[in-house]
Amino acid sequence: MAFRDYDPYERDYGIVPDIVKQFVVYLYRHIRERNIPEIESMYEVSFPKLSDRYFKQGPWPPVDAISDLVDQDHVFCLLYKELYFRHLYAKTQPSLRARCESWDNYCDLFGVILHGNVNMLLPNSWLWAMVDEFLYQFQSFAQYRTKLAGKSAEEIELLKKCDKVWNILDVLNVLQALIDKSGIVAELSRDGGAELAAHDGYIPGQSNVLRMLGYFSLVGQLRVHCLIGDYSTGLQSLFPLNLFERGKLYTQLLSGCHITLFYYSSFAYLMLQRYTDAGRCLNAILSYIHRVKQLHARNAAYDQILKKNEQMYALLALVVGLCPAVQSTLDEHVLVALKDKFGEKLQATLDEHVLVALKDKFGEKLQRMFRGDEGLFDEAFMYGCPKFITAAPPAYDNPSAAGPQEAYLRQRSLFLRQVGGVSRLPLLKQYLLLYSSISLPKLAGLLETDEATLRTALACLKKSNYCLQWDGGRDMTSGSFTSTADIDFYIDVDTATGAELVMLSDNITTRHQAELLSRHIVKFEAIVRDLEAPPVAAAAPAQAAY
Amino acid sequence: MEVRGVDRYQPEKLAVLERNLEEQITGTAKYSLDVATAVFRLYQLQPSVARKELIARALLKALSQMPQQDYRILIHLLPERLVAEEPVSSVVLLAQHLEACNLQDFWAATGSCKDTISKVPGFQDAIRNYVLHSLSITFQRVSLRVLGDWLKLDSSALQQLLADKAKAGWKVQGEVVCLPLNAFNTAVQKRKADLISFEAVAPVVKSSVATA
């Protein structure tokens, strides 16, 4: 572990404001007294306020400046340093030394929690933020490490010595240790998380720290695996959380955690070509954000929520572009918002029930995606994808070998190949929509290709609609094959003439109008009631006057 | 062999995992995607210890599991420098042809990685099974000539294969082969009527009862 012995006197800090000293003393006292509402208010309100007022440009006082106020309590100092580094990362560009110190701090903190017998209570939002920040700093270090171009030779030398710092195996092992030690998997398998949700995460009589860290580490593992391109292990490591039966899912109470969970799962499903599952996840989370957005309007996390919202709409546009049948499974407001951002008029068969108010700012884009315009897929992917990292350390001796974008470019090229495979199919689909049956040679003539290519293209089209869909297995990666086609066809050989025919089937979908209609009926009746009410109320005072 | 929990992240176990992977490829051990994923993940972490010919063979084994997405899962783990050279690059090309259903090019390309394929027993049969499967979701009837092209079998081998498949519903009628019917290659007039749930209609019922 490097850089443990930094020189505290190097930073001549100056006077610590009194109000900050008070904050530290009270926080320490509340943590010792396990007073959760107070801790929560200090963490969520006072800390950001003080940061804004006194520490807008620079870091909080170093831990030695305040450790006397708290009797040098080891655990509190670790917690304080966690907040200190989080603030540092948010406001400044941390140096290599700061990154190493932060890594040491996290190792110590998690070490104490894993091996010591921690009895304190901490707000769940703080615990989630701990895991979230841990992984964010890991991501940030991995990207910092690969940017060799702008660094001096001695910086590169120092970097080479720090190969134990923010090592991906250590990160994954820490998460796994938290999961194992907390026994969260057994607990969730037993009752599906009902007890946890019922007590809001704070089960009375026990410390919530280890248990909730274990819970959040499940989501953390998903995130790390997605960043290195290991999508199926990421989804597997979520066990026993269930994305599709969300009734008892505790994360709904913590929006940051819930959004992270669904963002990475839907991205993983997208890359595994399981479009219906990705569509379901995105639909669920976008509806959730729509519902809870207003609650966070003044929160520091609001901007992040909005950013993720935009990214997920980009992912949804990709899913819909690759599998148009997903549109019929989306909630109304999600579909409308998607079209506001990306689409004007889609293919006529699919949008009767959408509201009329559509902005045509990004109008054309979705339609062009339907026609297989690869550039748009690229653009949406670039905006919506997470910041991938390369697990391996860079080749320090050869700075130009692989740049910081390597991991991203790799995933992008795989994705574009997937898109390229289906880019010529929309044209084929448009022709097929016009017929109920057509002979192969005739279709080949229309498309100006030969029969063999056409046969291949038809098989490819059928294959692209043949997706894995989750159907109730215990693991998020299980599923069975279903057809997600919006047009259905098969190829037959007419026994009389020996000619091959493409036969299409009619898909008659009766729209799910019940909810929409009942909502409007109730609203209408309320309006009518209001219109009829005043004469009664006016008549009563009128009578009273006489 | 299952690779769960903390076993996923132990580089010391690499040799054990590689050995198991080799056994899976030759058929002596039961197939398990977890092992290949763990091996590839460790290769991503330390590209210097990666064994390219093992990667190529493991990818072929995964490809033979089509239509399962095993190949796709594995390929995302490999960085560019591990797939850029032989023998992995020709396997990647092979996979591209197969995913695009370009069977002519696929069979032609198998020529260039004959060595690797010969070390994965059962590869060609597995691919032929997959081709038959993807035919059965697209075609109800197909001409013998097309079938022979797609499977790269001459007529006697083809007749033999079809005779084996007769129990599963494949019938030969002159020059045309009838495929077994399933949900994907029949034109069913699907009326997708969503069931109307009571919760959707409840407000209306409530308000009409109140005003009645």
Side-chain angles (χ1 to χ4, degrees), chain A residues 230 410 462 488 518 525, chain B residues 41 78 140 184 190 200 207:
Chain A
D230 193 356
R410 175 80 185 131
K462 219 35 174 76
D488 240 342
S518 79
E525 290 189 350
Chain B
R41 197 176 26 240
L78 296 174
Q140 255 190 21
F184 299 101
K190 285 186 235 170
S207 66

Side-chain angles (χ1 to χ4, degrees), chain B residues 10-195:
Chain B
Q10 315 277 28
E12 311 84 53
K13 293 230 167 84
L14 184 59
V16 174
L17 292 170
E18 280 177 341
R19 208 166 30 243
N20 186 285
L21 189 57
E22 303 222 359
E23 286 171 12
Q24 284 180 28
I25 293 174
T26 53
T28 36
K30 187 159 162 292
Y31 177 75
S32 154
L33 179 61
D34 287 343
V35 178
T37 320
V39 172
F40 281 27
R41 197 176 26 240
L42 291 169
Y43 282 171
Q44 196 193 112
L45 184 57
Q46 288 174 286
S48 50
V49 307
R51 289 167 49 189
K52 296 211 173 84
E53 49 83 33
L54 181 58
I55 294 179
R57 280 187 285 148
L59 287 176
L60 280 177
K61 186 75 185 171
L63 205 52
S64 55
Q65 304 295 321
M66 290 276 260
Q68 296 291 338
Q69 299 285 29
D70 292 10
Y71 171 79
R72 182 140 278 280
I73 290 174
L74 291 177
I75 197 71
H76 279 292
L77 275 169
L78 296 174
E80 195 64 43
R81 64 190 104 156
L82 287 177
V83 298
E85 297 165 21
E86 292 293 332
V88 186
S89 56
S90 45
V91 174
V92 170
L93 197 57
L94 211 62
Q96 278 172 24
H97 289 312
L98 191 60
E99 285 185 339
C101 294
N102 252 336
L103 289 160
Q104 318 282 37
D105 295 335
F106 174 78
W107 291 116
T110 48
S112 59
C113 39
K114 258 198 305 256
D115 292 332
T116 332
I117 293 181
S118 61
K119 296 196 192 115
V120 184
F123 175 69
Q124 305 225 359
D125 292 329
I127 295 295
R128 289 202 174 98
N129 268 332
Y130 167 63
V131 173
L132 289 173
H133 164 86
S134 58
L135 281 169
S136 72
I137 58 173
T138 321
F139 292 82
Q140 255 190 21
R141 276 182 281 225
V142 70
S143 74
L144 267 177
R145 188 184 43 87
V146 171
L147 196 58
D149 275 340
W150 282 34
L151 291 171
K152 199 72 185 294
L153 289 173
D154 60 19
S155 52
S156 57
L158 189 59
Q159 296 291 354
Q160 177 64 38
L161 181 66
L162 289 170
D164 290 335
K165 288 272 182 193
K167 275 194 307 265
W170 294 68
K171 288 189 278 289
V172 185
Q173 287 175 344
E175 278 303 306
V176 165
V177 181
C178 294
L179 282 74
L181 296 176
N182 55 44
F184 299 101
N185 67 355
T186 39
V188 176
Q189 282 233 336
K190 285 186 235 170
R191 294 186 144 272
K192 282 193 239 177
D194 289 315
L195 295 172

Side-chain angles (χ1 to χ4, degrees), chain B residues 1-17:
Chain B
M1 183 177 167
E2 277 220 344
V3 186
R4 298 270 162 188
V6 79
D7 288 335
R8 291 185 197 134
Y9 316 121
Q10 315 277 28
E12 311 84 53
K13 293 230 167 84
L14 184 59
V16 174
L17 292 170

